[in-house]
Amino acid sequence: MAGSSGAARGVNAAPLKIAVAGLGTVGAGVVKLLAQHRDLIAKRCGRSIVVVAASARDRTKNRGTDLSAIEWFDDAATMAAKASVDVVVELIGGAEGVARNVCETAIASGRHVVTANKALLAHHGTALARAAEAKNVALAYEAAVAGGIPIIKALREGMAGNRLSRVYGILNGTCNYILTAMRKSGRSFEEILAEAQSLGYAEADPSFDVDGIDAAHKLAILASVAFGCEVNFGGVHVEGIRRVSPMDIRFAEELGYRIKLLGIAKLTESGLEQRVHPCMVPLAAPIASIDGVFNAVVADGDYVDTIMQEGRGAGQGPTASAVVADLVDIARQRWIPAFGVPATELARLPASPMDRHVGAYYIRLMVVDRPGVFADVAAALRDHDVSMEGILQRTRQPGEPVPVVLTTHETTEAAMAGTLKRIQGLGAVVEPPCMIRIEAFAP
Ligand code: NAP
Ligand code: HSE
């Protein structure tokens, strides 16, 4: 299903009326942007976009913007069903509860939905897209992935002539900020996280960010758009950044790599591989230089080759920018199936099991420096058919365990898991090995 084509400027001069559910960071930003750029947007759409209704928990809270002319609803789901609007903008958050109810209710009552809610889409994206298409309304979510970067539009529309083979990116600004600060300061994950929380850059409960879940939500959505498949969040292998140490960051630089939390989705012979975990990327790869809170997404298409978009993945302005882009499309009466092909035609791709992953690995061990340790480690690699690419050991302080770093040639995750299990059992290895996958992206 899609909006009527070419029905944009001047054809329908009635304003596009919207209801905003959630007036926090993003919701207040949307209201502010629409007010500040009212004339510019009206010119671009051929009609104005007007906020006529809103809902949040606390009616009395100062939102930093004038809401006096807006109809207030204490209950967001009632607003979604009853407000006299064309579009419901859901900016509450969460995969279940009120946010889901608002979106389902809005669609069921024939209203377009714009949302920034990646958790909701990761869990219920396919069902919501089906429902929206059955009602011939839009389900738009540019803000849900990489905030201000217009990557959904780029993949779904700008690259629509391509067969895509891979999409990957830095999808969580909090993790990228922490890894960047760890590299620049040499301080630990815990110290940098505590500082980021005190400055308000990281949530009080940072687990969705630092454990990779937020990036996994976004990756599952990107994969669906890139490969025309149902959203399969359950098929994403997820690891966060809690175990990344300053020592590994230093070794990475010495070896010509940088550690980034990436989300990577690609088609393999055994199905759709979706994984989020810390990666070693070559310093010369463009994505290695994306620092701080910035996000970047790279996509490989058979005709366009490789594209990369970078920018701010969060924050009031960038996220509101993406929400308003979706509203402008709807005001122009342009919308297409949420994931690029009709939801009923999305493929159900098998998830490629992680033990089939093929790649190179970085392994750092802490060992007691005594004769025969290297031989035992080398035997573990040999017995699992893993080929070593390089090895380095630092001089020791008397009595202290020493770090030993190995890099391997390409092997399977299953072989690597077996190797690590054996190495961990060696008496001279004093702590669990640190393993980080190497992604050899071409510069
Ligand atoms: P937020 O600042 O916590 O705002 C949430 C809003 O939802 C608040 O206004 C809150 O009301 C309202 N709310 C909560 N429960 C409600 C209920 N039961 N009924 C009605 N309203 C309710 O969150 P946010 O950062 O704006 O994020 C909103 C969405 O955007 C989330 O899905 C998030 O993942 C997504 N997103 C955010 C960013 C970002 O940079 N912040 C970036 C990309 C995507 P009160 O204000 O009255 O408490
Ligand atoms: N918490 C996210 C991040 C921002 O740190 O990137 C919202 O998508």
Side-chain angles (χ1 to χ4, degrees), residues 21-28 55-59 61 63 72-76 90-94 98 115-119 143-145 147 203 214 218 313-316 319:
L23 292 168
T25 305
V26 184
S55 176
R57 271 180 307 210
D58 181 357
R59 185 175 188 164
K61 207 188 263 183
R63 312 283 171 180
W72 183 269
F73 286 82
D74 285 325
D75 182 56
E90 184 278 305
L91 300 170
I92 294 171
V98 64
T115 179
N117 190 338
K118 57 259 176 173
V145 180
E203 301 283 340
D214 175 76
K218 295 166 183 169
Q316 186 170 68
T319 314

Side-chain angles (χ1 to χ4, degrees), residues 26 116 118 143-147 170-177 201-203 208-210 214-215 218 293-295 312-315 319:
V26 184
K118 57 259 176 173
V145 180
I170 294 171
L171 301 173
N172 186 271
T174 305
C175 288
N176 206 42
Y177 170 85
Y201 298 158
E203 301 283 340
F208 260 48
D209 289 320
V210 301
D214 175 76
K218 295 166 183 169
V293 296
F294 282 79
N295 284 194
R312 292 188 183 276
T319 314

Side-chain angles (χ1 to χ4, degrees), residues 99-176:
R100 182 177 177 190
N101 193 2
V102 163
C103 292
E104 288 176 349
T105 304
I107 290 169
S109 52
R111 293 166 174 87
H112 304 291
V113 166
V114 174
T115 179
N117 190 338
K118 57 259 176 173
L120 176 71
L121 289 161
H123 287 275
H124 305 295
T126 308
L128 286 169
R130 283 204 181 122
E133 284 165 33
K135 287 285 188 178
N136 195 23
V137 294
L139 171 66
Y141 55 87
E142 185 61 74
V145 180
I149 304 175
I151 191 62
I152 299 301
K153 200 169 195 91
L155 292 183
R156 196 178 53 189
E157 291 155 62
M159 294 177 75
N162 288 260
R163 194 172 284 282
L164 301 185
S165 53
R166 182 174 63 176
V167 59
Y168 64 92
I170 294 171
L171 301 173
N172 186 271
T174 305
C175 288
N176 206 42

Side-chain angles (χ1 to χ4, degrees), residues 212-238:
I213 298 159
D214 175 76
H217 286 150
K218 295 166 183 169
L219 184 70
I221 298 167
L222 279 179
S224 174
V225 176
F227 307 122
C229 57
E230 293 184 358
V231 187
N232 182 8
F233 173 67
V236 186
H237 173 88
V238 192

Side-chain angles (χ1 to χ4, degrees), residues 27-337:
V30 168
V31 175
K32 186 171 143 202
L33 192 166
L34 288 172
Q36 222 166 48
H37 289 179
R38 188 182 53 199
D39 296 343
L40 178 72
I41 288 167
K43 208 167 182 181
R44 288 184 174 154
C45 301
R47 61 198 293 207
S48 52
I49 299 178
V50 187
V51 182
V52 300
S55 176
R57 271 180 307 210
D58 181 357
R59 185 175 188 164
T60 63
K61 207 188 263 183
N62 179 3
R63 312 283 171 180
T65 179
D66 181 14
L67 300 174
S68 55
I70 295 174
E71 186 181 5
W72 183 269
F73 286 82
D74 285 325
D75 182 56
T78 303
M79 178 178 77
K82 300 262 192 292
S84 175
V85 295
D86 307 295
V87 187
V88 174
V89 184
E90 184 278 305
L91 300 170
I92 294 171
E96 304 297 339
V98 64
R100 182 177 177 190
N101 193 2
V102 163
C103 292
E104 288 176 349
T105 304
I107 290 169
S109 52
R111 293 166 174 87
H112 304 291
V113 166
V114 174
T115 179
N117 190 338
K118 57 259 176 173
L120 176 71
L121 289 161
H123 287 275
H124 305 295
T126 308
L128 286 169
R130 283 204 181 122
E133 284 165 33
K135 287 285 188 178
N136 195 23
V137 294
L139 171 66
Y141 55 87
E142 185 61 74
V145 180
I149 304 175
I151 191 62
I152 299 301
K153 200 169 195 91
L155 292 183
R156 196 178 53 189
E157 291 155 62
M159 294 177 75
N162 288 260
R163 194 172 284 282
L164 301 185
S165 53
R166 182 174 63 176
V167 59
Y168 64 92
I170 294 171
L171 301 173
N172 186 271
T174 305
C175 288
N176 206 42
Y177 170 85
I178 292 172
L179 292 174
T180 304
M182 286 174 70
R183 187 182 88 239
K184 291 189 171 169
S185 70
R187 289 187 293 155
S188 69
F189 168 81
E190 289 78 11
E191 281 178 272
I192 301 291
L193 174 62
E195 183 182 272
Q197 284 172 314
S198 72
L199 293 170
Y201 298 158
E203 301 283 340
D205 176 2
S207 47
F208 260 48
D209 289 320
V210 301
D211 293 329
I213 298 159
D214 175 76
H217 286 150
K218 295 166 183 169
L219 184 70
I221 298 167
L222 279 179
S224 174
V225 176
F227 307 122
C229 57
E230 293 184 358
V231 187
N232 182 8
F233 173 67
V236 186
H237 173 88
V238 192
E239 295 170 26
I241 62 167
R242 289 184 199 263
R243 294 196 59 218
V244 175
S245 73
M247 186 194 296
D248 296 308
I249 291 176
R250 279 198 307 277
F251 278 128
E253 298 280 317
E254 198 172 320
L255 294 167
Y257 295 110
R258 187 149 291 165
I259 300 178
K260 294 287 177 193
L261 183 81
L262 296 186
I264 302 170
K266 68 179 180 187
L267 295 174
T268 71
E269 281 174 6
S270 39
L272 174 62
E273 183 175 287
Q274 300 181 95
R275 51 197 169 90
V276 171
H277 53 73
C279 296
M280 296 252 180
V281 298
L283 288 171
I287 203 157
S289 60
I290 307 300
D291 272 347
V293 296
F294 282 79
N295 284 194
V297 182
V298 181
D300 299 327
D302 56 354
Y303 271 68
V304 73
D305 201 357
T306 297
I307 64 123
M308 178 166 113
Q309 291 197 343
E310 65 175 288
R312 292 188 183 276
Q316 186 170 68
T319 314
S321 159
V323 170
V324 171
D326 283 339
L327 289 169
V328 166
D329 265 353
I330 294 170
R332 289 167 164 164
Q333 301 196 25
R334 290 184 64 242
W335 66 91
I336 63 171

Side-chain angles (χ1 to χ4, degrees), residues 247 363-370 372-374 376-377 391-394 396-397 399-406 423-424 426-433:
M247 186 194 296
I363 299 158
R364 197 244 322 139
L365 312 172
M366 296 305 293
V367 303
V368 179
D369 190 359
R370 68 178 183 223
V373 175
F374 261 26
D376 289 344
V377 170
I391 186 161
L392 68 92
Q393 180 180 327
R394 285 286 162 264
R396 65 176 159 157
Q397 300 295 320
E400 281 184 6
V402 289
V404 170
V405 171
L406 313 170
I423 288 175
Q424 191 164 349
L426 296 174
V429 175
V430 299
E431 60 181 60

